[in-house]
Amino acid sequence: MSTTRPDPKRWLVLVAVMLAFLPVVLDMTILHVAVPTLTQALRASSTEVLWIIDIYPLLMAGLLVPMGTLADRIGNRKILLTGLVAFGFASVAAAFAQNAAMLIGARVLLALGGSMIMPCVLGIIRRTFEDPKERAIALGLWGTVGSAGAAIGPLVGGGLLEHFWWGSVFLINVPVMVVVISACFFLLPRVEKTTSGKWAIGQALLLIAGMISVVYGIKAGFGAKLPLVLALGIVAIGLCLLGAFARQQLRSKEPMLDLSLFSHPAIVAGMIMAIVATSSLAGVELTLAQELQYVLDKTPLQAGLFMIPIMAASAVGGPIAGFLSNAFGLRLVASSSLLLSAGALAMLGASDFHDPGFTVPALLALLGLTLSIGLTASSIAIMGSVEASKGGAAGSLEATGYELGTGLGITLFGVFMSSVYARSMTLPADLPATLADNSSRSIGDTYLVAQSLPADQATALIDAGKAAFTATHSVLLSTAAGLIFCLSVLVFFMLAKYRGTTSASH
């Protein structure tokens, strides 16, 4: 047993770092509802809008691991405070951006600040809570902020845009940052255990370039932003850079990233859970948002209210995950929660959203609860497999999994959705060929084409689009259910020997 007494301020520290995490999570989803407004205000082109949205997750995916390992070298407190200041400054710059280029630049700085905050939050939780049972509860509370924050982002954004200008979705971060910076400055310990060695900027740049190339190449290729040959070339370059980085880490006496972390099956399982679960969840949210607004003719606010069961259940899933993991073991909780998520998705795919009754809200609540438990279980698996001094690196790996899952999930499910929609579409016979091709790309394009048609043709086309999207939503939710089911089986076997670290091991 360790003789180290637990920090008496540890629960206050947890509150401080959870508040630090909240704006970063909100910023991932809050912008989507503001895009139409800021596009008009800044006269941004479609390419500029894509970069405004994509630059944040792209840079985050590349920066998280370098920033996590830097935090392990020089201390989580220093990196976290620096990241909070950068994020607050960037929020002001984004709110008052005068053109698209300025907003893209501000989003770059937001990504830099966010990449410092995310791994430090997990690293501080790992260092502060040595007792595995307390750590599970703390990670559960942290998971609540992650799940609920991402879910309510669009609602917060919609509420702000009803009363203020588009910059308010960024400016809302500033008062939070003022409180959090003060709390973290006084509460976080100034002396921390750190790992030895230097932080090599060359290795960091190699990793950043490799990650961004791979993620951008995949997104651009599947999203048809670039010719397939060019996209594959960018992915190949990225993989070569990542291969060179890995080789460098294995040969270096002072590697930036301890690749032995991947020798822990629980860490690999946690990474896979984070990527697959978040990508499926992002795809499902994309599908449901369009189903509710295009097919059921709900307003954005009504669609948000319809999704409240997911948000409310996600908010309580984290603490429940910590409690259940302590009571029944992580393996059973992780695999069971994913299995129940798959069942909820499969039943939602077969449900009639026109007549939701009690069944659809109940299934949405079950989905939010079980996926929140599953994602928190991935945090417990990863952070419970490393010693405290490597908490930042492990946290950055998990955060990278979230970023990759969300970013790639939207792209891959979006492309899959377009393909299924086109095959499901039964177009009116009298529709001209050029308009027929345009209208079958997505339900949004169907509505755009309908605006240029006479009333009778427009009604027939929109009805065909609604029928096609209902079929599409069933296929997508069933596909997500299949992915989550396979993940539950994989996790059950990968966590077979999981025991987690204890305070005695430090």
Side-chain angles (χ1 to χ4, degrees):
M1 294 287 294
S2 173
T3 57
T4 304
R5 296 181 63 184
D7 184 351
K9 302 192 302 289
R10 60 192 181 282
W11 297 107
L12 288 174
V13 169
L14 178 64
V15 171
V17 295
M18 286 195 304
L19 285 173
F21 183 52
L22 182 59
V24 181
V25 177
L26 284 174
D27 212 63
M28 293 177 187
T29 57
I30 199 172
L31 184 64
H32 292 167
V33 294
V35 164
T37 308
L38 68 86
T39 299
Q40 298 299 317
L42 299 179
R43 300 180 181 274
S45 67
S46 59
T47 301
E48 288 172 330
V49 170
L50 285 174
W51 275 111
I52 289 169
I53 296 171
D54 280 351
I55 195 68
Y56 185 81
L58 271 176
L59 281 178
M60 285 279 278
L63 287 168
L64 281 165
V65 169
M67 290 303 168
T69 53
L70 179 61
D72 285 339
R73 295 287 195 278
I74 67 175
N76 283 278
R77 183 178 184 274
K78 293 177 182 177
I79 297 299
L80 178 62
L81 288 172
T82 303
L84 290 170
V85 171
F87 201 89
F89 177 79
S91 297
V92 175
F96 296 103
Q98 299 299 304
N99 53 54
M102 288 179 66
L103 182 55
I104 292 169
R107 293 278 284 171
V108 169
L109 188 55
L110 277 168
L112 177 62
S115 68
M116 292 180 178
I117 295 168
M118 286 184 73
C120 287
V121 167
L122 282 165
I124 288 169
I125 292 174
R126 174 64 189 85
R127 292 165 189 261
T128 305
F129 294 91
E130 290 286 358
D131 179 77
K133 291 185 177 181
E134 284 194 348
R135 188 190 312 138
I137 295 170
L139 287 169
L141 293 169
W142 167 83
T144 295
V145 174
S147 301
I152 67 172
L155 274 182
V156 173
L160 289 170
L161 290 172
E162 281 196 14
H163 303 286
F164 307 102
W165 96 114
W166 64 266
S168 62
V169 301
F170 295 107
L171 206 59
I172 191 67
N173 295 331
V174 177
V176 178
M177 286 296 150
V178 171
V179 173
V180 172
I181 289 170
S182 302
C184 289
F185 182 83
F186 290 107
L187 287 174
L188 297 182
R190 286 170 166 74
V191 179
E192 300 179 76
K193 291 181 181 178
T194 56
T195 55
S196 60
K198 297 179 180 179
W199 189 76
I201 185 67
Q203 295 180 27
L205 292 175
L206 197 61
L207 177 60
I208 293 167
M211 286 290 296
I212 291 177
S213 297
V214 170
V215 176
Y216 178 71
I218 293 173
K219 286 176 68 70
F222 277 99
K225 299 176 194 173
L226 292 176
L228 184 59
V229 174
L230 181 57
L232 289 174
I234 292 174
V235 172
I237 291 171
L239 291 174
C240 289
L241 291 172
L242 290 178
F245 172 79
R247 186 179 181 185
Q248 198 173 53
Q249 300 312 291
L250 293 172
R251 292 184 170 187
S252 175
K253 293 181 179 178
E254 297 179 349
M256 166 172 288
L257 177 62
D258 183 2
L259 294 180
S260 68
L261 290 173
F262 291 103
S263 66
H264 297 278
I267 290 182
V268 177
M271 284 285 292
I272 295 172
M273 288 169 69
I275 292 172
V276 176
T278 52
S279 65
S280 297
L281 185 58
V284 168
E285 288 177 347
L286 175 69
T287 306
L288 292 180
Q290 295 190 55
E291 172 86 10
L292 293 169
Q293 294 180 63
Y294 284 124
V295 180
L296 301 183
D297 299 317
K298 293 183 181 294
T299 65
L301 181 58
Q302 289 172 330
L305 293 173
F306 192 94
M307 301 284 281
I308 279 178
I310 286 185
M311 302 174 200
S314 294
V316 300
I320 289 175
F323 172 78
L324 292 177
S325 296
N326 287 334
F328 301 105
L330 182 65
R331 182 194 190 196
L332 181 62
V333 171
S335 55
S336 298
S337 65
L338 292 171
L339 188 62
L340 288 170
S341 300
L345 282 168
M347 293 178 71
L348 282 170
S351 297
D352 181 5
F353 279 51
H354 291 86
D355 183 22
F358 172 75
T359 304
V360 171
L363 289 172
L364 289 173
L366 178 62
L367 178 64
L369 177 67
T370 52
L371 274 181
S372 177
I373 291 173
L375 289 172
T376 303
S378 74
S379 300
I380 296 171
I382 292 173
M383 303 312 293
S385 298
V386 297
E387 57 193 48
S389 62
K390 295 181 180 179
S396 68
L397 288 176
E398 181 183 3
T400 300
Y402 287 142
E403 289 297 323
L404 290 175
T406 301
L408 295 180
I410 291 290
T411 300
L412 299 179
F413 270 85
V415 173
F416 185 39
M417 181 188 295
S418 297
S419 175
V420 175
Y421 182 76
R423 290 200 301 270
S424 304
M425 188 76 160
T426 303
L427 293 163
D430 56 348
L431 194 67
T434 52
L435 294 180
D437 180 60
N438 289 338
S439 64
S440 60
R441 291 175 182 171
S442 71
I443 193 167
D445 288 310
T446 299
Y447 271 79
L448 287 174
V449 170
Q451 291 174 5
S452 64
L453 298 174
D456 291 346
Q457 275 188 311
T459 300
L461 180 60
I462 288 175
D463 287 343
K466 287 183 175 182
F469 196 86
T470 297
T472 301
H473 124 261
S474 296
V475 172
L476 281 169
L477 294 184
S478 299
T479 301
L483 285 172
I484 299 292
F485 172 77
C486 293
L487 177 62
S488 70
V489 175
L490 180 64
V491 166
F492 182 78
F493 287 106
M494 292 191 74
L495 293 180
K497 296 182 179 179
Y498 177 81
R499 296 293 180 271
T501 58
T502 65
S503 56
S505 65
H506 305 302

